[in-house]
Amino acid sequence: MEIERKIDMILMPIPDYGFDPTEAAVPWNYLKEKGIDIVIATPSGKMASADERLLTGEGFGPFKKLLMAEPSALKDYRSMTKNEAFRHPIRYSEIDTTLFTGVLLPGGHDKGMREYLESEILQKKVAEFFLAEKLIGAICHGTVLAARTIDPRTEKSVIYDYQTTSLLKSQEMGAYYLTALWLNDYYRTYSITVEEEVKSVLKEKNQFLTGKVTMSRDSIKNEKPAFVVEDRNYISARWPGDAHTFARKFYKKLSAERF
């Protein structure tokens, strides 16, 4: 698929299956409303699908409302899946980072995320965004992709000297303990938690910031529950409950860099 260079074009790579619908669709919808072009990339170059359980709530039992995507996020997801850019993604191998102003790295904890988090091709592309000092946004497990990306100049993670947040250990393990009896390790993408892996690549552990832990989610009108960390060209957030604020801060940074 050939891409025409446009002003403020953002890349959003996702796996073929298993990404979090809120963390992808809320930023996608917000940026589209602001007139930003977004290109989707998948490993196969075929249209992707979000984690079905987060779309339907199936298997969450009494915690369905707490754990599945909220109605407004589902609406954003349905809108995204009808968009031609989403329906016709490029392959990871076709990504030309020189065409983009920045990259958004959504998360998700389904095991299908592993092809995204472990992709050497994608890690090299993310490194190019950091090396070019372009705008990078990572939320939840998206921060794992950033953490695993190596700066070829230093042989350390590209976020080695950045402040960051990520999905917190308390959030990840809390969801796991709520559902482990019948969903087993559904909430454990890996044996190591996201927070532990992200912290392991940082120069100092105090570069990792947690914010106030809450089960409340932000919204278009309410940023209070959210926690987003900004450090130079890198913006990070913890979970779907930060997605609206994450999207707004990403766009604000994008707008500021135009001038």
Side-chain angles (χ1 to χ4, degrees), residues 206-259:
N206 62 9
Q207 292 166 221
F208 187 91
L209 307 176
T210 62
K212 183 179 179 181
V213 180
T214 174
M215 293 303 293
S216 299
R217 301 189 184 207
D218 71 354
S219 66
I220 295 173
K221 297 181 180 180
N222 181 21
E223 289 189 6
K224 191 174 180 181
F227 183 70
V228 177
V229 175
E230 297 181 66
D231 186 352
R232 289 161 284 173
N233 58 316
Y234 173 61
I235 299 174
S236 57
R238 303 170 301 182
W239 71 305
D242 299 332
H244 290 280
T245 306
F246 173 70
R248 283 195 289 269
K249 287 184 178 293
F250 186 91
Y251 177 72
K252 184 177 180 180
K253 185 74 171 177
L254 179 65
S255 299
E257 291 186 353
R258 292 173 179 164
F259 304 101

Coordinates of all heavy atoms in Angstrom, one line a residue, residues 206-259:
N206 N 13.2 5.6 40.2 CA 12.3 6.7 40.5 C 11.9 7.4 39.2 O 11.1 8.4 39.3 CB 12.9 7.7 41.5 CG 14.2 8.3 41.0 OD1 14.6 8.2 39.8 ND2 14.9 9.0 41.8
Q207 N 12.3 7.0 38.0 CA 11.8 7.6 36.8 C 10.4 7.0 36.5 O 9.7 7.6 35.6 CB 12.7 7.2 35.6 CG 14.1 7.9 35.7 CD 15.1 7.3 34.7 OE1 16.3 7.1 35.1 NE2 14.7 6.9 33.5
F208 N 10.1 5.9 37.2 CA 8.7 5.3 37.0 C 7.8 6.0 37.9 O 7.9 6.0 39.1 CB 8.8 3.8 37.2 CG 7.5 3.2 36.9 CD1 7.3 2.6 35.6 CD2 6.4 3.1 37.8 CE1 6.1 2.0 35.3 CE2 5.2 2.4 37.5 CZ 5.0 1.9 36.2
L209 N 6.7 6.6 37.4 CA 5.7 7.3 38.1 C 4.3 6.6 38.1 O 3.9 6.0 37.1 CB 5.5 8.7 37.6 CG 6.9 9.5 37.4 CD1 6.6 10.8 36.8 CD2 7.5 9.7 38.8
T210 N 3.7 6.5 39.2 CA 2.4 5.7 39.3 C 1.1 6.6 39.3 O 0.1 6.1 38.8 CB 2.4 4.9 40.6 OG1 2.5 5.8 41.7 CG2 3.6 4.0 40.7
G211 N 1.2 7.8 39.8 CA 0.0 8.5 39.9 C -0.9 8.0 41.0 O -0.6 7.0 41.7
K212 N -2.1 8.5 41.2 CA -3.1 8.1 42.2 C -3.8 6.9 41.6 O -4.4 6.9 40.5 CB -4.0 9.2 42.5 CG -5.0 8.8 43.6 CD -6.0 9.9 43.9 CE -7.0 9.5 45.0 NZ -7.9 10.6 45.3
V213 N -3.8 5.7 42.3 CA -4.5 4.5 41.9 C -6.0 4.7 42.1 O -6.4 4.9 43.2 CB -3.9 3.3 42.6 CG1 -4.6 2.0 42.1 CG2 -2.4 3.2 42.4
T214 N -6.7 4.4 41.1 CA -8.2 4.5 41.1 C -8.8 3.6 40.1 O -8.2 3.3 39.1 CB -8.7 6.0 40.9 OG1 -10.1 6.0 40.9 CG2 -8.2 6.5 39.6
M215 N -10.0 3.2 40.4 CA -10.8 2.3 39.5 C -11.6 3.2 38.5 O -12.3 2.7 37.6 CB -11.6 1.3 40.2 CG -10.8 0.2 40.9 SD -9.7 -0.7 39.9 CE -10.9 -1.5 38.8
S216 N -11.7 4.5 38.8 CA -12.5 5.4 38.0 C -11.8 5.7 36.7 O -10.5 5.7 36.6 CB -12.7 6.7 38.7 OG -13.4 6.5 39.9
R217 N -12.5 5.9 35.6 CA -12.0 6.2 34.3 C -12.2 7.6 33.9 O -13.2 8.2 34.3 CB -12.6 5.3 33.2 CG -12.4 3.8 33.5 CD -12.8 2.9 32.3 NE -12.7 1.5 32.6 CZ -12.5 0.6 31.7 NH1 -12.4 0.9 30.4 NH2 -12.4 -0.7 32.0
D218 N -11.3 8.2 33.2 CA -11.5 9.5 32.7 C -12.6 9.6 31.6 O -13.1 8.5 31.2 CB -10.2 10.2 32.2 CG -9.7 9.6 30.9 OD1 -10.2 8.6 30.4 OD2 -8.7 10.2 30.4
S219 N -13.0 10.7 31.1 CA -13.9 10.9 30.1 C -13.6 12.2 29.3 O -12.7 12.9 29.6 CB -15.4 11.0 30.7 OG -15.5 12.2 31.4
I220 N -14.4 12.4 28.3 CA -14.2 13.7 27.5 C -14.3 14.9 28.4 O -13.5 15.8 28.2 CB -15.3 13.8 26.4 CG1 -15.2 12.6 25.4 CG2 -15.2 15.1 25.7 CD1 -16.3 12.6 24.4
K221 N -15.1 14.9 29.5 CA -15.3 16.1 30.3 C -14.5 16.0 31.6 O -14.5 17.0 32.4 CB -16.8 16.2 30.6 CG -17.6 16.5 29.3 CD -19.1 16.7 29.7 CE -19.9 17.0 28.4 NZ -21.3 17.3 28.8
N222 N -14.0 14.8 32.0 CA -13.4 14.7 33.3 C -12.0 14.0 33.2 O -11.9 12.8 33.0 CB -14.3 13.8 34.2 CG -13.7 13.7 35.6 OD1 -12.9 14.4 36.0 ND2 -14.2 12.6 36.3
E223 N -10.9 14.8 33.4 CA -9.6 14.3 33.4 C -9.1 13.9 34.8 O -8.0 13.3 34.9 CB -8.6 15.4 32.9 CG -8.7 15.7 31.4 CD -7.6 16.6 30.9 OE1 -6.7 16.9 31.7 OE2 -7.6 17.0 29.8
K224 N -9.9 14.1 35.8 CA -9.4 14.0 37.2 C -8.9 12.6 37.5 O -7.9 12.4 38.2 CB -10.5 14.3 38.2 CG -10.1 14.4 39.6 CD -11.2 14.9 40.5 CE -10.7 15.0 41.9 NZ -11.8 15.5 42.9
P225 N -9.5 11.5 37.0 CA -9.0 10.1 37.4 C -7.8 9.8 36.6 O -7.1 8.8 37.0 CB -10.2 9.2 37.0 CG -11.4 10.1 36.8 CD -10.8 11.4 36.3
A226 N -7.4 10.5 35.6 CA -6.3 10.1 34.7 C -5.0 10.4 35.2 O -4.8 11.4 36.0 CB -6.6 10.6 33.3
F227 N -4.0 9.7 34.7 CA -2.6 10.0 35.0 C -1.8 9.8 33.7 O -1.7 8.7 33.2 CB -2.0 9.2 36.1 CG -0.6 9.5 36.5 CD1 -0.3 10.7 37.1 CD2 0.4 8.7 36.2 CE1 1.0 11.1 37.5 CE2 1.7 9.0 36.6 CZ 2.0 10.2 37.2
V228 N -1.1 10.9 33.2 CA -0.4 10.8 32.0 C 1.0 11.5 32.3 O 1.0 12.5 32.8 CB -1.1 11.5 30.8 CG1 -0.2 11.5 29.6 CG2 -2.4 10.8 30.6
V229 N 2.1 10.8 31.8 CA 3.4 11.4 32.0 C 4.0 11.9 30.7 O 3.9 11.2 29.7 CB 4.3 10.3 32.6 CG1 5.8 10.8 32.7 CG2 3.9 9.8 34.0
E230 N 4.5 13.1 30.7 CA 5.1 13.7 29.6 C 6.5 14.0 29.9 O 6.9 14.6 30.8 CB 4.4 15.0 29.2 CG 2.9 14.9 28.8 CD 2.3 16.2 28.5 OE1 2.7 16.8 27.5 OE2 1.4 16.7 29.2
D231 N 7.4 13.5 29.0 CA 8.9 13.8 29.1 C 9.4 13.9 27.7 O 9.5 13.0 26.9 CB 9.6 12.6 29.8 CG 11.0 12.9 30.1 OD1 11.5 13.9 29.6 OD2 11.7 12.1 30.8
R232 N 9.7 15.2 27.4 CA 10.2 15.6 26.1 C 9.2 15.1 25.0 O 8.1 15.5 25.0 CB 11.6 15.0 25.9 CG 12.7 15.7 26.7 CD 13.9 14.9 26.8 NE 13.8 13.8 27.8 CZ 14.7 12.9 28.1 NH1 15.8 12.9 27.4 NH2 14.4 12.0 29.0
N233 N 9.6 14.2 24.1 CA 8.8 13.8 23.0 C 8.0 12.5 23.3 O 7.4 11.9 22.4 CB 9.7 13.6 21.7 CG 10.8 12.5 22.0 OD1 11.4 12.6 23.0 ND2 11.0 11.6 21.0
Y234 N 8.0 12.1 24.5 CA 7.5 10.8 24.9 C 6.3 11.0 25.9 O 6.5 11.6 27.0 CB 8.5 9.9 25.5 CG 8.1 8.6 26.1 CD1 7.4 7.6 25.3 CD2 8.3 8.3 27.5 CE1 7.0 6.4 25.9 CE2 7.9 7.1 28.0 CZ 7.3 6.2 27.3 OH 6.9 5.0 27.8
I235 N 5.2 10.5 25.6 CA 4.0 10.6 26.5 C 3.5 9.2 26.8 O 3.3 8.3 25.9 CB 2.8 11.3 25.7 CG1 3.3 12.8 25.4 CG2 1.6 11.4 26.6 CD1 2.3 13.5 24.6
S236 N 3.3 8.9 28.1 CA 2.9 7.6 28.5 C 1.7 7.6 29.4 O 1.5 8.6 30.1 CB 4.0 6.8 29.2 OG 4.5 7.5 30.3
A237 N 0.9 6.5 29.4 CA -0.3 6.4 30.3 C -0.5 5.0 30.7 O 0.2 4.1 30.2 CB -1.6 6.9 29.5
R238 N -1.3 4.8 31.7 CA -1.4 3.5 32.4 C -2.3 2.5 31.9 O -2.0 1.3 31.7 CB -1.7 3.7 33.9 CG -0.8 4.7 34.6 CD -1.3 5.1 36.0 NE -2.6 5.7 35.9 CZ -3.3 6.2 36.9 NH1 -2.8 6.1 38.1 NH2 -4.5 6.8 36.7
W239 N -3.6 2.9 31.6 CA -4.6 1.9 31.3 C -5.8 2.6 30.5 O -5.7 3.8 30.3 CB -5.1 1.2 32.6 CG -5.9 2.1 33.5 CD1 -5.6 3.4 34.0 CD2 -7.2 1.8 34.0 NE1 -6.6 3.8 34.8 CE2 -7.6 2.9 34.8 CE3 -8.1 0.8 33.9 CZ2 -8.9 3.0 35.5 CZ3 -9.3 0.8 34.5 CH2 -9.7 1.9 35.3
P240 N -6.8 1.8 30.1 CA -7.9 2.5 29.4 C -8.5 3.7 30.1 O -9.1 4.6 29.5 CB -8.9 1.3 29.3 CG -8.1 0.1 29.3 CD -7.0 0.4 30.3
G241 N -8.5 3.7 31.4 CA -9.0 4.8 32.2 C -8.3 6.1 32.0 O -8.8 7.1 32.5
D242 N -7.2 6.1 31.3 CA -6.4 7.3 31.0 C -6.6 7.8 29.6 O -6.0 8.8 29.2 CB -4.9 7.1 31.3 CG -4.6 6.8 32.8 OD1 -5.3 7.2 33.7 OD2 -3.6 6.1 33.0
A243 N -7.3 7.0 28.8 CA -7.2 7.1 27.3 C -7.7 8.5 26.8 O -7.0 9.0 25.8 CB -8.1 6.0 26.7
H244 N -8.7 9.1 27.3 CA -9.2 10.4 26.8 C -8.1 11.5 27.1 O -7.8 12.3 26.2 CB -10.5 10.8 27.5 CG -11.6 10.0 27.1 ND1 -12.3 10.2 25.9 CD2 -12.3 8.9 27.7 CE1 -13.3 9.3 25.8 NE2 -13.3 8.5 26.8
T245 N -7.6 11.5 28.3 CA -6.5 12.5 28.7 C -5.3 12.2 27.9 O -4.6 13.2 27.4 CB -6.3 12.4 30.2 OG1 -7.5 12.6 30.9 CG2 -5.3 13.5 30.6
F246 N -4.9 11.0 27.7 CA -3.8 10.6 26.9 C -3.9 11.2 25.5 O -3.0 11.7 24.9 CB -3.7 9.1 26.9 CG -2.6 8.5 26.0 CD1 -1.3 8.7 26.2 CD2 -3.0 7.8 24.9 CE1 -0.3 8.1 25.4 CE2 -2.1 7.2 24.0 CZ -0.7 7.4 24.3
A247 N -5.1 11.0 24.9 CA -5.3 11.5 23.5 C -5.2 13.0 23.5 O -4.6 13.5 22.5 CB -6.7 11.0 23.1
R248 N -5.8 13.7 24.4 CA -5.8 15.1 24.4 C -4.3 15.7 24.6 O -3.9 16.6 23.9 CB -6.6 15.7 25.5 CG -8.1 15.6 25.2 CD -8.9 16.5 26.2 NE -9.0 15.9 27.5 CZ -9.9 15.1 27.9 NH1 -10.9 14.7 27.1 NH2 -9.9 14.7 29.2
K249 N -3.6 15.1 25.5 CA -2.2 15.5 25.7 C -1.3 15.2 24.5 O -0.4 16.0 24.1 CB -1.6 14.9 27.0 CG -2.2 15.5 28.2 CD -1.6 14.9 29.5 CE -2.2 15.5 30.7 NZ -1.9 17.0 30.9
F250 N -1.6 14.1 23.8 CA -0.8 13.8 22.6 C -1.1 14.8 21.5 O -0.2 15.3 20.9 CB -1.2 12.4 22.1 CG -0.4 11.9 21.0 CD1 0.7 11.1 21.1 CD2 -0.8 12.1 19.7 CE1 1.5 10.7 20.1 CE2 -0.1 11.7 18.6 CZ 1.1 11.0 18.8
Y251 N -2.4 15.1 21.4 CA -2.7 16.1 20.4 C -2.2 17.5 20.7 O -1.7 18.2 19.8 CB -4.2 16.2 20.2 CG -4.6 17.3 19.2 CD1 -4.4 17.2 17.8 CD2 -5.2 18.5 19.7 CE1 -4.8 18.1 16.9 CE2 -5.5 19.5 18.8 CZ -5.3 19.3 17.4 OH -5.6 20.3 16.5
K252 N -2.2 17.9 22.0 CA -1.7 19.2 22.4 C -0.2 19.3 22.1 O 0.3 20.3 21.6 CB -1.9 19.4 23.9 CG -1.5 20.7 24.4 CD -1.8 20.9 25.9 CE -1.4 22.2 26.4 NZ -1.7 22.4 27.9
K253 N 0.5 18.2 22.4 CA 2.0 18.2 22.1 C 2.2 18.2 20.6 O 3.1 18.9 20.1 CB 2.6 16.9 22.7 CG 4.1 16.8 22.5 CD 4.8 17.7 23.5 CE 6.3 17.4 23.5 NZ 7.0 18.3 24.4
L254 N 1.4 17.5 19.8 CA 1.5 17.5 18.4 C 1.3 18.9 17.8 O 2.0 19.4 16.9 CB 0.5 16.5 17.8 CG 0.4 16.4 16.3 CD1 1.7 15.8 15.7 CD2 -0.8 15.5 15.9
S255 N 0.3 19.6 18.3 CA 0.0 20.9 17.9 C 1.1 21.9 18.2 O 1.4 22.8 17.4 CB -1.3 21.4 18.5 OG -2.4 20.6 18.2
A256 N 1.7 21.8 19.4 CA 2.7 22.7 19.8 C 4.0 22.5 19.0 O 4.7 23.5 18.7 CB 3.1 22.4 21.3
E257 N 4.2 21.3 18.5 CA 5.4 21.1 17.7 C 5.3 21.5 16.2 O 6.3 21.5 15.5 CB 5.8 19.6 17.7 CG 6.2 19.1 19.1 CD 6.7 17.7 19.1 OE1 6.6 17.0 18.1 OE2 7.2 17.3 20.1
R258 N 4.1 22.0 15.9 CA 4.0 22.6 14.5 C 4.7 23.9 14.4 O 5.0 24.4 13.3 CB 2.5 22.8 14.2 CG 1.7 21.5 14.1 CD 0.2 21.8 13.9 NE -0.6 20.7 13.7 CZ -1.9 20.7 13.9 NH1 -2.5 21.8 14.3 NH2 -2.6 19.6 13.7
F259 N 4.8 24.6 15.5 CA 5.3 26.0 15.5 C 6.7 26.1 16.1 O 7.2 25.3 16.8 CB 4.3 26.9 16.3 CG 2.9 26.7 15.8 CD1 2.0 26.0 16.5 CD2 2.5 27.4 14.6 CE1 0.7 25.8 16.1 CE2 1.2 27.2 14.2 CZ 0.3 26.5 14.9

